[in-house]
Amino acid sequence: MPTTQTPATETIRKGPLSRFTILDATRVRAGPTAIRTFADLGARVIKLEIPPGAPGGDDMIGGRDHNRADYENLHRNKESLTLNMKEPQGREILHRLVAQADVFIENYRPDVKYRLGIGPDELRAINPRLVYASISGFGQDGPYASWPGFDSIAQGMGGLMSVTGKPEDGPMRVGIPIADLCAGHFCAQAIMAALLERDSTGEGQWVQTSLLEAQIAMLDFQAAQWLIDRKIPKATGNEHPLTVPTGVFQTRDGHINLAAIGQNMWRRLCEALDVPHLVQEPGFGSDPERVQNRARVNAAVGEVLRTRTTAEWTERLLKAGVPCGPIHTVDRMFDDPQVRHLGMARPMHHPELGDIEVVGLPMQFSRHPRGEGPMKPAPNQGDQTDAILADLGYGCEQIAQLRARFVI
């Protein structure tokens, strides 16, 4: 059965996943992103960190001091246990934790877990119900398995950079670590699927994903253009490759995003812009024709959009049923009334930083409201080490000896 052990110094957080315990041996971003979902949904997450003074160090993005905002946002709602898994006594502690856990996740290079003796076979021999999850750069085997994984490398190799940016500017990286983030989200989905399957079989399993696989999956229709139509998609900047006019247009006081997809939407747009004659303009009669005459269409639409403000056009176009919206900077986005209504900025009290906010989980549950229970700040390194070991039966003298030998 899933563990129901209560931490010695913690109160069980409410949430739909509060019955699960997860051991998080990941670093950098993809793995912590996967497990943040579970932590936000109430699971007990124990983050395994290399002890101070032990070789190896901690590969946190920016570290706690260099990029505190990122660290707090990525690692909230977790506990921290310092543990040197290279030492036999460290692995013994890990084995005790595994016996009670539901999930173990790692994102080492594929061979590292076997050298440490913590591979899926070893840990699942201790607890057959364990779901073992792995994230890598390029897969657990194959010609690139040993390559170090990094987000921008996966963006390039996964095809995304070839379809991003303006054609004249060459390949362009997306402004967020999308390969890392999507690998994390896909891994979370795989873990949840394995936990559901375990309910019927009684056994866990090994689930895997990689930055490269996640990035390719996110290409979606761009990948389908090649796989099915044998068409190599190209970069089209802010515009949609298959429908026009869709993209960013200048207004009298800024810019607006427009998405007039299909013939009905094109007709509504022309009427809202007071240029109904464009519907009958030669070369403008269908999406394929407008794609062929992209520059002419955009010039005709853009000329009209520059005559009013973004707010005026947004109100007018939405009333006509044409999808559109302003383009916010991050500060203005969080100040948007709909974003405030959705509660995407979650309040959190931090003992050093005071009252701050972090990005909320983009999910709503009718029986587990998003604001249920306070958010917990990201732990300092080893904050819960003594309490976790005490729960496992270690006495104060044993804990002191383990710390002196850099096992914890």
Side-chain angles (χ1 to χ4, degrees), residues 156-194:
M157 294 181 65
L160 180 63
M161 291 174 65
S162 73
V163 297
T164 303
K166 297 180 179 179
E168 63 270 20
D169 291 340
M172 181 69 67
R173 184 184 69 87
V174 173
I176 58 171
I178 192 168
D180 276 338
L181 297 175
C182 290
H185 293 312
F186 284 133
C187 185
Q189 293 176 38
I191 292 170
M192 290 184 187

Side-chain angles (χ1 to χ4, degrees), residues 23 81 83-100 116-118 123 126 389 392-394 398 402 405 407-408:
L23 305 179
L81 166 69
L83 187 65
N84 187 352
M85 290 181 283
K86 294 180 180 179
E87 295 291 332
Q89 288 177 301
R91 289 193 295 277
E92 179 185 342
I93 294 170
L94 176 66
H95 291 170
R96 292 194 189 187
L97 289 168
V98 164
Q100 301 175 347
L116 290 174
I118 59 170
L123 297 193
I126 298 167
L389 292 182
L392 294 175
Y394 288 87
Q398 289 175 293
L402 291 169
R405 291 195 290 270
V407 175
I408 59 172

Side-chain angles (χ1 to χ4, degrees), residues 312-329:
E312 289 172 324
W313 281 125
T314 300
E315 181 180 0
R316 188 181 180 111
L317 293 175
L318 289 176
K319 187 176 180 180
V322 178
C324 67
I327 299 173
H328 289 323
T329 53

Side-chain angles (χ1 to χ4, degrees), residues 63-101:
R64 296 170 176 79
D65 298 324
H66 294 97
N67 198 341
R68 192 62 183 259
D70 191 13
Y71 182 79
E72 292 297 333
N73 194 60
L74 195 57
H75 295 286
R76 75 279 185 115
N77 295 327
K78 300 179 182 178
E79 303 172 43
S80 172
L81 166 69
T82 50
L83 187 65
N84 187 352
M85 290 181 283
K86 294 180 180 179
E87 295 291 332
Q89 288 177 301
R91 289 193 295 277
E92 179 185 342
I93 294 170
L94 176 66
H95 291 170
R96 292 194 189 187
L97 289 168
V98 164
Q100 301 175 347

